[in-house]
Amino acid sequence: MACRLSFLKVLLIILNVLLSLIGVSLIALSVYELNSSTPGTFEHIAIIVQIFVGSFVVLTSFLGCFAAGRVSLGLVWSYVICLLILLCLQVYIIVAAHSTNYVDRARNDFLALWSDPRRSSERLSYIEQKYSCCGQGGPQDYILLGGGIPINCFENLERQQNKLFSNGCLEAVQAHATDNVINGLIIKWLLLIVELASLGAATYLGITVRNKLRRERF
């Protein structure tokens, strides 16, 4: 009994360390993406939700480590409840991620910006410098609009022909969205697997501790 209890404690602590690392990774990825997303868009809202979930994961992992260290039945069951809530959120997020075309949404968001370049000039400048791109399909887009190529279409903001970005931003934005979807799904599925393993270990630990307390009473 003592060996089994010790094994479950160590296992639960290890799983919660993994949970906290994944949660921190999710928060870091989300914060990075938050800086490049347009406020009010679907992507922006989804990123905020991910930050909330990541924070909840980290806090839950701390509770799990504390519960395992103290071997407190109340803390263990509280941890199990938190994990069940997390699992429900995680399943919903994964289903939403698989059913939502983030690449199309990123494309539509960019096209909305490009529909009024003057009004969205600050945002477009940021995108062009971040992704090393120019215009929707290339520098010629600005010429077709009857204007000159802006300075933000040049590397290091140096107006030299050899430093002109030749790629269009629409393609760059879509490629970036594709990478984010892949990375996000990997983290979400990994998080779900660790949460399920933690739930199993915590439930077994709770049952073991409960049975131990019952035997001690009688």
Side-chain angles (χ1 to χ4, degrees):
M1 173 65 73
C3 290
R4 181 170 57 182
L5 197 60
S6 298
F7 172 76
L8 288 173
K9 286 171 58 178
V10 172
L11 177 62
L12 196 57
I13 289 172
I14 292 173
L15 287 172
N16 278 286
V17 169
L18 284 175
L19 266 182
S20 63
L21 291 175
I22 297 172
V24 169
S25 299
L26 184 61
I27 294 172
L29 178 65
S30 300
V31 170
Y32 173 76
E33 292 305 320
L34 188 65
N35 295 327
S36 61
S37 64
T38 304
T41 61
F42 179 84
E43 180 189 11
H44 188 81
I45 296 171
I47 290 171
I48 292 175
V49 172
Q50 285 184 175
I51 292 174
F52 168 76
V53 172
S55 302
F56 192 24
V57 167
V58 173
L59 292 174
T60 301
S61 67
F62 288 158
L63 175 61
C65 288
F66 191 59
R70 293 289 300 274
V71 196
S72 168
L73 194 58
L75 288 175
V76 170
W77 291 130
S78 297
Y79 172 66
V80 168
I81 292 171
C82 288
L83 277 178
L84 288 172
I85 295 172
L86 264 179
L87 281 169
C88 291
L89 285 172
Q90 198 65 21
V91 169
Y92 173 77
I93 289 173
I94 289 175
V95 171
H98 280 284
S99 61
T100 303
N101 194 326
Y102 289 98
V103 178
D104 275 354
R105 288 184 179 272
R107 177 179 181 275
N108 293 335
D109 288 341
F110 177 80
L111 290 177
L113 291 174
W114 186 253
S115 64
D116 191 353
R118 290 186 178 180
R119 185 178 179 182
S120 308
S121 59
E122 184 177 346
R123 184 66 188 161
L124 288 171
S125 298
Y126 175 80
I127 292 173
E128 287 168 337
Q129 279 294 301
K130 179 179 180 180
Y131 300 129
S132 300
C133 58
C134 184
Q136 177 180 323
Q140 68 277 4
D141 290 337
Y142 284 106
I143 298 174
L144 293 174
L145 289 174
I149 299 174
I151 190 66
N152 36 274
C153 280
F154 294 85
E155 185 180 353
N156 299 324
L157 301 177
E158 297 178 6
R159 194 178 289 276
Q160 299 177 19
Q161 189 61 33
N162 62 336
K163 293 190 175 183
L164 175 63
F165 300 139
S166 58
N167 296 327
C169 289
L170 181 59
E171 182 181 351
V173 166
Q174 290 181 121
H176 180 69
T178 301
D179 291 340
N180 285 344
V181 169
I182 294 172
N183 293 334
L185 285 175
I186 290 173
I187 292 176
K188 290 179 180 72
W189 276 106
L190 183 60
L191 184 58
L192 180 65
I193 292 170
V194 177
E195 284 172 356
L196 286 171
S198 300
L199 179 63
T203 302
Y204 192 33
L205 177 62
I207 294 172
T208 302
V209 172
R210 184 189 62 186
N211 293 338
K212 180 175 178 293
L213 292 174
R214 283 179 177 176
R215 279 193 294 270
E216 289 175 353
R217 289 175 186 172
F218 299 101

